[in-house]
Amino acid sequence: PIWHIITLSITCKHRIWFKLTQRTVMELEDEINVADVLSTANMDWTPLGESFVKRYTNYEDLKWDVDLSKHKVVIAPYGGPVAVLFKSQGGIVINIYSLTGHQISFIKFEGGKIVGMGWTASEQLITIFDDGTMDVHSVQGEKIFNRLLTREVRDSRVLECKFFHTMMGYSGFAVMTYEYQFFVVSDSDRDKENIRVKAMANLPSSTRPTCWAVLPQGNSVGILAAVEDKLY
C-alpha cells in the first residue's frame, strides 16, 4: 500500500507522525472531509489525486550563474557538493559548488583526457582518465592521491566509465576499455594502496556493446551489457 506521511510541528519542537493508508483515507472520507481537516490544521497540504502534497522552501538565496546543461555535472550523494567540469583551450577545470551555487573550490588539470568523474560516499571527487589513472580530490580541491588502476587498463585505455552507489553505503565505479573489457572498483572509499580493481569476465563478442550498466548486489558488483540482440 501507498503511505501518506503527515508531519505536525509542535511548539516544544517534538514531532508527531501520522500515517494514513489509502484504506484509512477512504474510511475517513465516509465521516469527514480529509482536505478540510488538513486545511483547518494549517499545514498547507494540497490534495493531489489520492495523496496530499506540501511544498517546502529549502534555499532562498541561490547563487547559480552557470548553465549546467552545457557542462558535465556530478552531484555527491545525499545532497552533497556539486562538481562541474569546464573545458577550454587552457585545459580542464572542475569547479566544486555547494547546492546553493556558492563556489567552494576548483581543480585545474594541465593535461589528460577525463573519461568520467564521480563522488565517493565520503564526498571525495574521483576523476578517471583515458590512460587508466585516477585522481582523488577533497571537497576543498586538495589532491589526496593519484594511481594507476591496472596495467591492462592502461594498455587498452579507458573508453567509458560509470559510477554507482549502493543501498549499503558503498560507492564505486566501472570502466570499459577500448577492447570492451570491464574492470570494477566496488569500494572507492579505500586509500591508495587498498583500492581493489577486479577484472570482469570477457564478453564472448568482439563487437562494442550497445549499452551497459553496473548492477551492485550486496557486496558484489555485476555488469549487464547489451551487444546487438544479445544480453550478457
Side-chain angles (χ1 to χ4, degrees):
I2 300 175
W3 293 84
H4 308 294
I5 302 177
I6 304 174
T7 308
L8 291 176
S9 297
I10 311 302
T11 54
C12 60
K13 296 185 179 180
H14 292 294
R15 291 180 180 269
I16 298 178
W17 294 86
F18 293 93
K19 296 180 179 179
L20 299 180
T21 64
Q22 286 181 313
R23 179 180 299 176
T24 305
V25 171
M26 293 176 61
E27 292 174 351
L28 287 174
E29 285 179 345
D30 292 337
E31 301 177 4
I32 59 175
N33 188 309
V34 178
D36 290 342
V37 172
L38 295 176
S39 177
T40 303
N42 195 25
M43 291 184 293
D44 298 327
W45 288 86
T46 302
L48 181 63
E50 297 181 350
S51 305
F52 296 88
V53 297
K54 183 177 183 179
R55 183 178 64 183
Y56 293 90
T57 301
N58 291 325
Y59 302 104
E60 294 183 353
D61 184 23
L62 298 180
K63 297 294 184 180
W64 285 105
D65 56 0
V66 179
D67 187 352
L68 299 180
S69 64
K70 296 182 179 180
H71 305 280
K72 171 69 174 179
V73 179
V74 291
I75 305 175
Y78 316 116
V82 181
V84 183
L85 187 148
F86 297 86
K87 294 182 180 180
S88 65
Q89 295 181 350
I92 298 175
V93 174
I94 295 178
N95 287 349
I96 299 178
Y97 301 89
S98 66
L99 283 180
T100 58
H102 293 79
Q103 184 172 342
I104 301 173
S105 62
F106 72 93
I107 307 166
K108 186 175 182 179
F109 299 91
E110 299 296 338
K113 179 182 178 182
I114 296 178
V115 180
M117 63 179 185
W119 293 94
T120 69
S122 59
E123 295 188 352
Q124 294 178 346
L125 182 65
I126 295 179
T127 48
I128 305 296
F129 296 84
D130 67 337
D131 63 357
T133 58
M134 62 178 286
D135 281 0
V136 180
H137 289 83
S138 68
V139 175
Q140 288 71 34
E142 302 171 346
K143 179 178 283 191
I144 300 175
F145 67 82
N146 166 276
R147 64 157 286 171
L148 177 69
L149 293 177
T150 66
R151 293 181 179 178
E152 293 83 358
V153 177
R154 179 195 62 191
D155 293 342
S156 55
R157 306 186 76 82
V158 178
L159 177 60
E160 294 180 7
C161 176
K162 295 181 186 293
F163 287 80
F164 62 88
H165 298 274
T166 70
M167 296 296 293
M168 300 180 65
Y170 295 103
S171 59
F173 60 88
V175 299
M176 181 179 71
T177 68
Y178 278 87
E179 295 181 357
Y180 312 137
Q181 294 176 312
F182 293 96
F183 296 83
V184 172
V185 173
S186 58
D187 185 3
S188 56
D189 266 310
R190 296 175 179 268
D191 55 27
K192 180 178 180 178
E193 290 74 20
N194 293 318
I195 288 284
R196 298 177 181 177
V197 183
K198 179 181 179 182
M200 308 300 286
N202 293 332
L203 293 174
S205 172
S206 59
T207 304
R208 177 175 178 173
T210 308
C211 60
W212 61 281
V214 185
L215 299 177
Q217 299 175 344
N219 294 324
S220 63
V221 178
I223 298 292
L224 186 66
V227 181
E228 296 178 340
D229 60 344
K230 295 181 175 59
L231 196 61
Y232 300 100

Coordinates of all heavy atoms in Angstrom, one line a residue, residues 6-18 41 43 54:
I6 N 2.1 12.6 7.2 CA 1.8 13.9 7.6 C 2.6 14.3 8.8 O 2.6 13.6 9.8 CB 0.3 14.1 7.8 CG1 -0.5 13.7 6.6 CG2 0.0 15.6 8.2 CD1 -1.9 13.7 6.8
T7 N 3.2 15.5 8.8 CA 4.0 15.9 10.0 C 3.4 17.1 10.6 O 3.1 18.1 9.9 CB 5.5 16.2 9.6 OG1 6.0 15.1 8.8 CG2 6.3 16.5 10.8
L8 N 3.2 17.1 11.9 CA 2.8 18.2 12.7 C 3.9 18.7 13.6 O 4.5 17.9 14.3 CB 1.6 17.9 13.5 CG 0.3 17.6 12.8 CD1 -0.8 17.1 13.8 CD2 -0.2 18.8 12.0
S9 N 4.3 20.0 13.5 CA 5.3 20.5 14.3 C 4.7 21.1 15.6 O 3.9 22.0 15.5 CB 6.1 21.6 13.6 OG 6.7 21.1 12.5
I10 N 5.1 20.6 16.7 CA 4.6 21.1 18.0 C 5.5 22.2 18.6 O 6.7 22.2 18.2 CB 4.4 19.9 19.0 CG1 3.7 18.8 18.3 CG2 3.7 20.4 20.2 CD1 2.3 19.2 17.8
T11 N 5.0 23.1 19.4 CA 5.8 24.2 19.9 C 7.0 23.7 20.7 O 8.0 24.4 20.8 CB 4.9 25.1 20.8 OG1 4.3 24.3 21.8 CG2 3.8 25.8 20.0
C12 N 6.9 22.5 21.3 CA 8.0 22.0 22.1 C 9.1 21.3 21.2 O 10.0 20.7 21.7 CB 7.5 21.0 23.1 SG 6.7 19.6 22.4
K13 N 8.9 21.5 19.9 CA 9.8 21.0 18.9 C 9.8 19.5 18.7 O 10.7 18.9 18.0 CB 11.3 21.5 19.1 CG 11.4 23.0 19.0 CD 12.8 23.4 19.2 CE 12.9 25.0 19.1 NZ 14.3 25.4 19.2
H14 N 8.9 18.8 19.3 CA 8.7 17.4 19.1 C 7.9 17.2 17.8 O 7.1 18.1 17.4 CB 8.0 16.7 20.3 CG 8.9 16.6 21.5 ND1 10.1 15.9 21.5 CD2 8.8 17.2 22.7 CE1 10.7 16.1 22.7 NE2 9.9 16.9 23.4
R15 N 7.9 16.1 17.2 CA 7.1 15.9 16.0 C 6.3 14.6 16.2 O 6.7 13.6 16.7 CB 8.0 15.6 14.8 CG 8.8 16.9 14.3 CD 9.6 16.6 13.1 NE 10.3 17.8 12.7 CZ 9.9 18.7 11.8 NH1 8.7 18.5 11.2 NH2 10.6 19.7 11.4
I16 N 5.0 14.8 15.8 CA 4.1 13.7 15.8 C 3.9 13.2 14.4 O 3.5 14.0 13.5 CB 2.8 14.1 16.5 CG1 3.0 14.5 17.9 CG2 1.8 12.9 16.5 CD1 1.8 15.0 18.6
W17 N 4.0 11.9 14.1 CA 3.9 11.4 12.8 C 2.5 10.6 12.7 O 2.3 9.8 13.5 CB 5.0 10.4 12.4 CG 6.3 11.1 12.4 CD1 7.2 11.4 13.4 CD2 7.0 11.7 11.2 NE1 8.3 12.1 12.9 CE2 8.2 12.2 11.6 CE3 6.6 11.7 9.8 CZ2 9.0 12.8 10.7 CZ3 7.5 12.3 9.0 CH2 8.7 12.9 9.4
F18 N 1.8 11.0 11.7 CA 0.5 10.3 11.4 C 0.7 9.6 10.0 O 1.1 10.2 9.1 CB -0.6 11.2 11.3 CG -1.0 11.9 12.6 CD1 -0.4 13.1 13.0 CD2 -1.8 11.3 13.5 CE1 -0.7 13.7 14.2 CE2 -2.1 11.9 14.7 CZ -1.6 13.1 15.1
A41 N -6.0 22.4 10.0 CA -4.8 22.2 10.8 C -3.7 23.2 10.3 O -2.6 23.3 10.9 CB -4.3 20.8 10.6
M43 N -1.7 23.3 7.7 CA -0.5 22.6 7.3 C -0.2 22.8 5.8 O 0.8 22.3 5.3 CB -0.6 21.1 7.6 CG -0.6 20.8 9.1 SD -0.5 19.0 9.4 CE -2.2 18.6 8.8
K54 N 2.9 18.8 0.0 CA 3.2 20.0 0.6 C 4.6 20.5 0.1 O 5.5 19.7 -0.1 CB 3.3 19.9 2.1 CG 3.6 21.2 2.8 CD 3.5 21.0 4.4 CE 3.7 22.4 5.1 NZ 3.7 22.2 6.5

